Amino acid sequence: MELPAEIPSALYLALAIPLVYVLFFALQSFFGNKFRDKGDSLALLVSGGNFALGLTVFTKVWGTHSGPYNLGEWFSAGPFSISFTVHLDNVSALMLLLVTGITFLVHLFSKEYMKHDPKRQRYWAFLSLFSFSMTGLVLAWNLLLIFAFWELVGFSSYLLIGFWHEGKVQGSASQKAFIVNRIGDVGFIAGMLILYVHYGDLDLSSLIGMSLFGETPPGFEPISPFWKILAGLGLTLGALSKSAQFPLQVWLPDAMAGPTPVSSLIHAATMVAAGVYLLISCVPLFHPVVLDTLAFTGALTALIAALSALTQNDIKGVLAYSTISQLGFMVMGVGVFASEFSLFHLATHAFFKCGLFLTAGAIIHALHEAQKKWRSQHGSKADFDVQDIRLMGGFRKLMPRTFVLYLIFAASLAGLPLFSGFLSKDGLLLGAAAWAKGEGGLAFLVPLMSVTAAVLTAVYISRHAILIFFGEYRLGKFKEGLGNFAGQIKEVNFWMLLPLAVLAVFALAPVWAIQNPIHATAESSWLLGGIPAIHLWPHETWMNLFPWVISLLSLAGIVLTWNRYRKRNIQLEASPSGFLKRLSYHHFYFDSIYQKLIVQPIFAVSAALNFFDKKIVDGAVNGIARVVLEKQGGIRSISGIASWVEKNIVDRTVNGVAGGVMGLARRSRKIQSGKLQSYLILTLFGLLLLLGYLFYFAS
Amino acid sequence: MTLTLLILIPLIGLLAILVLPKKHENLIKQIALGATVLQMVWFLAQVLPVAMQGGTGEFIIEEEARWLSLSLGSLGSLNIHYHLGIDGLSLVLLLLSVMIFPIATLASFSIKRRIKTYFALILLLNLSIIGCFMALDFFLFYLLYEFMLLPMFFLIGVWGGERREYAAIKFFIYTLFGSVFMLLIMLGLSFSFIDPAESAVLAGLVDSAENATPEIIAQIQQQLAACQLPGEFQAHTFDITLMSETVNGGLANIVPGSIFDYGSTLLGFNARILAFLVLFLGFAIKIPVVPLHTWLPDAHVEAPTPVSVLLAAILLKVGGYGILRICYSIFPEGGLVFADWIAFFGVLSILYGALLAMHQKDLKALIAYSSISHMGFVLLGIASMEPSGINGAVFQMFNHGIVSAALFLVVGVIYDRTHDRTIANYSGLWTKMPRYTVAVLIAFFASMGLPGLNSFVSEMVVLFGSVNSAGLSHWFSILAVLGILFAAVYYLRTFRQMFFGSFGYYGSEGHGRALSDLTSRESLLLFPLCLAMIVLGLVPSLVLDLMDVSISDFTVRIGELSQSFIDLRGSTIPCP
């Protein structure tokens, strides 16, 4: 294919993005302590500059067609070689823009949010490491290279979740995130191994080409359905872990232990979308069985996470389950041949969910500041959980600007018309319904579960909104002496509101589909027009009505929630009463089940093996040693031998070799006959025997 | 002399230390460090550049001198040569050794007792290991291989911890058990191969071996194969290169009908297969392979820090090196026959070592078991008998050397301060020891196989090499991936316990205050290792390219040879 002339320069610019991030990471890691406050501005400059680069690349690349580029070899060992293969097409350009843009906004927000943190220079470094890995992942087009960045993304997430390492929960939260992701990695690596055995390559373009046309390179055996399914499931497992999908979704709620801007950038907008991005890239490699698995897993995850979001009391907890649920829609989309809508939803979700997390961050920040002020004024600590939404209420008046922005994001999440979430989510739901109609039978469970999840989304986010923003401020009701705490709460400043406002713009539908902001098609939406669609279902009349039915159901859900929580007497209880509520609150006890069924058995095996190793394997060794050696009297002391060697060999070397050898011969009879000597002598004896034998024949 | 100097430098240092009176402790330390640094400089300045240009032959640099020659009358003669040589395989392991030794020697400066003997033993260990990686004569190899045991035995047994004597004896007996068998095989080998050039001298065709032309050598080899070379003209040899030299896909220098000719049997088994197995057993103990591993945790836990560093970083590699240089070079068909079993024990070691590491409460024991797990990848790579797999195996040995050296140093840091290695006794070290935390983070994640750090590449190359091997089931590699998961479990649990949370020390009172950040000497030791992990993680070709050609040639040769043996087994006619 003839390459458009402007692509190479765009590619250089695109490659500069991760490079700048990683250089800043290195710089900040070494000199962060020296930079001090200058580091803040530098971080802003770097992320801003990279956003400008991302924008330039996007304008240059969008709408053009280009293939992947091989930038040379990374390493080779025998026939196995890995090249720096990158691709720059509409999808990766869009992802680059998304990542650099949101990174920049989060940096802006963080500058205020982390202002008082003495270790924030390390925070900038870790954030840059993350953005480096994420942009690298987006550009890479060789599976092993993607995996390398994939792991680094996980590593930076580990560092950022554990950023406040002195805390009680950060250690286990970061550990859990990394280990659960490693389970996915096992699948990812296994998938790569299987693909490599059958295709002899890890370059995605050649893999996709061979898979689509059913080719096999010479000297390789054709891939059987069994291995093809297994490879697909392996890659899927990897994607499910990173995108926090059932059965590996359990790490994401814990990951909220990190700073809130981190939750918004990494655990809502970008990193968790990497799994979906991988699936979208690898769709042509998947066997139909794998696609069905994706459809069911995604819909199921969307549903169970939405159910759990209904009862959470942590301001970020609700959003975390919401993220899992939304990612479920995207994964389902890949399975039902609507992956262009998955990508669309990935983009819209990135903005509105990032916005929701940052508004949560703004509230947490305002409460922290208020606590500080309270302490300086009253001399006593205002001790309460700043993330508990039951202790909130009435923020509509306390933080009015934040409130307005929040409503835009929430409406977008709920999928109300004229907001971005409406466009993308309805595309996915429609896709699921159309797919189920074609498949028939059990497949109808997929649209059923996802539509339910969509309606529940409206319910849990309105509960979230009502508890935080509406009614009266409830803190005084639960904490004595904090009745007039509300007076200390101030709206956050311009620099925190600015990124929120930018994000809010992108939560509006017209930004994504200017011609027809209530229905997104390849014609009406610039984004859908620019990405390849795998499969377009035939248009039928019921499809026109479908989105409106869902919106009506969502509205009904909102009204019901309003009635339920508006005047409700909120209680502070450790765990809600009622079985179903508890099931939801504890996320169906996945953690306890995994602990009992997987973690504990593995450690039991480990303990049993340890016993086996110490008593049986080593016991046998010791037993043999005792039987064979104890008769000789055993060794008295190695130190004895050592000092003997020191005195007689080491020191005597100086006195002349001959004397030493004679002494050795004479003395060796006198010292304790130990195991060691016997063996040394045995060896020497063997050697002498050999030599004697040779000399005998020689004569 | 280039290669000989690598042995001579520590030898001179050793002699200098021996003649010095005990009281010059500082001078002794400086001599030992000086000798290892000088050796490293010599290697980097003189050996590596030559080796990187590459040679035409299989061995890039070779040095050979006659050592012992015994006339055996009607049985010809027996020749032992001082034959050193390096190819890609030995080059990489030598590079590792000369880099680790100065670090271990510097780390030894905190040793308090019997300084003179200690450093003399370190240099003795150095010269035998370095010699072992270069020896191309089986007799020389065996001698140096055995020689390694002595200094190691005393280093653990005298300078070790509480149960040092038990650990030292266990180490000694285990390894000696393996080498006794090696001695037997060597006896058998002594009459199985001839040196054609020396034979030509015996036969009176030339006046000295150096003058033997390729034609004369070919003539001798043809006579030998046709049973026409009389016994008195057979100059027997221990030379490994001659033992593995091939002509038309078969061994060039094998004496027909000898113990290790193909088709020969011993106790009812094929003698060559048996020899492979017995030699393999000896080296498997060194690696160590489960279930022959129980000496390793004891030896590591009891050994002082620098000795643990040497043991894990270099000594274990002699096992892997021996398997490739001895077992696969001389008896390659054994590798083909036992491929499945070797891969099985490799994967077993990976999983068993990792699962046991999860249960350890002592940080050093945890790292020892993780060593077993990571060395399992070496065995899996070797079993593939495929260029990527073997490249990966050797690179994994190199990387494990770097990473395990750092890991044991890191344990040494807190042990020096508190004399306590119990993981549960520490918490929140991140707050108290930030620089130490960075070093531990890099070392732990390198060992876990994080991309961007060195072990990732070698583990991936091993996995992709072994999965692609014609002889092995795909499941071996797929199962081995679980080792990477378990590694994350035991390292991250340890890291969380020791570094997260608020600072606390729960061991004996008062020691907590001693927990200060890295001293400049400790930083100096850890910095090059961490740097190497990052650099090799980003540019793995720095090491991979050193051996790629050698190992490809090696693999092709052992592949052809083993196949021809399988084809010819039992079909040869012994000489009348």
Side-chain angles (χ1 to χ4, degrees), chain A residues 150-151 153-162 169-185 238 240-244 248-258 262 266-267 271-272 591, chain B residues 445 448 485 488-489 492 496 500:
Chain A
W150 178 271
E151 279 283 275
V153 163
F155 176 61
S156 32
S157 152
Y158 174 83
L159 292 175
L160 282 164
I161 297 171
V169 293
Q170 277 77 1
S172 47
S174 53
Q175 174 195 331
K176 187 172 171 185
F178 199 87
I179 290 175
V180 172
N181 272 292
R182 269 275 156 125
I183 298 175
D185 292 348
L240 296 185
S241 70
K242 195 114 298 176
S243 286
L248 299 175
Q249 80 281 32
V250 290
W251 64 271
L252 191 67
D254 292 36
M256 297 300 128
V262 167
I266 299 185
H267 304 116
M271 176 183 99
V272 286
D591 274 331
Chain B
F445 273 90
M448 258 183 257
L485 168 64
V489 175
L492 290 186
R496 182 198 63 185
F500 277 101

Side-chain angles (χ1 to χ4, degrees), chain B residues 291-462:
Chain B
L292 306 169
H293 64 283
T294 60
W295 63 271
L296 183 88
D298 282 314
H300 267 312
V301 167
E302 299 309 324
T305 303
V307 177
S308 281
V309 168
L310 290 173
L311 181 62
I314 309 178
L315 222 69
L316 305 186
K317 277 63 194 183
V318 180
Y321 176 80
I323 288 179
L324 287 171
R325 178 67 78 221
I326 308 290
C327 297
Y328 278 76
S329 286
I330 305 177
F331 306 109
E333 71 272 32
L336 210 58
V337 171
F338 295 114
D340 276 332
W341 284 104
I342 295 170
F344 169 78
F345 280 104
V347 176
L348 179 72
S349 300
I350 293 173
L351 300 181
Y352 187 92
L355 279 166
L356 273 167
M358 280 159 65
H359 193 264
Q360 301 310 311
K361 300 188 168 47
D362 180 318
L363 184 56
K364 217 171 177 186
L366 182 144
I367 290 166
Y369 277 107
S370 91
S371 270
I372 297 174
S373 178
H374 288 114
M375 290 300 282
F377 280 97
V378 175
L379 211 57
L380 178 62
I382 291 175
S384 73
M385 290 183 80
E386 201 258 354
S388 316
I390 295 183
N391 257 312
V394 179
F395 194 32
Q396 171 77 354
M397 286 201 267
F398 187 89
N399 289 336
H400 177 259
I402 304 274
V403 175
S404 62
L407 287 170
F408 282 111
L409 285 174
V410 149
V411 180
V413 168
I414 52 164
Y415 187 70
D416 281 352
R417 286 162 176 66
T418 60
H419 292 279
D420 184 0
R421 292 183 306 253
T422 313
I423 295 166
N425 279 350
Y426 297 89
S427 78
L429 291 181
W430 198 330
T431 320
K432 195 89 187 242
M433 306 167 77
R435 266 185 297 159
Y436 178 63
T437 308
V438 174
V440 174
L441 200 68
I442 294 177
F444 274 19
F445 273 90
S447 193
M448 258 183 257
L450 185 78
L453 300 171
N454 54 357
S455 294
F456 168 72
V457 178
S458 50
E459 287 178 1
M460 286 300 137
V461 174
V462 164

Side-chain angles (χ1 to χ4, degrees), chain B residues 67-87:
Chain B
W67 184 12
L68 280 170
S69 183
L70 304 165
S71 180
L72 305 173
S74 66
L75 287 173
S77 69
L78 184 66
N79 301 283
I80 297 170
H81 284 191
Y82 171 78
H83 188 183
L84 302 180
I86 54 171
D87 61 354

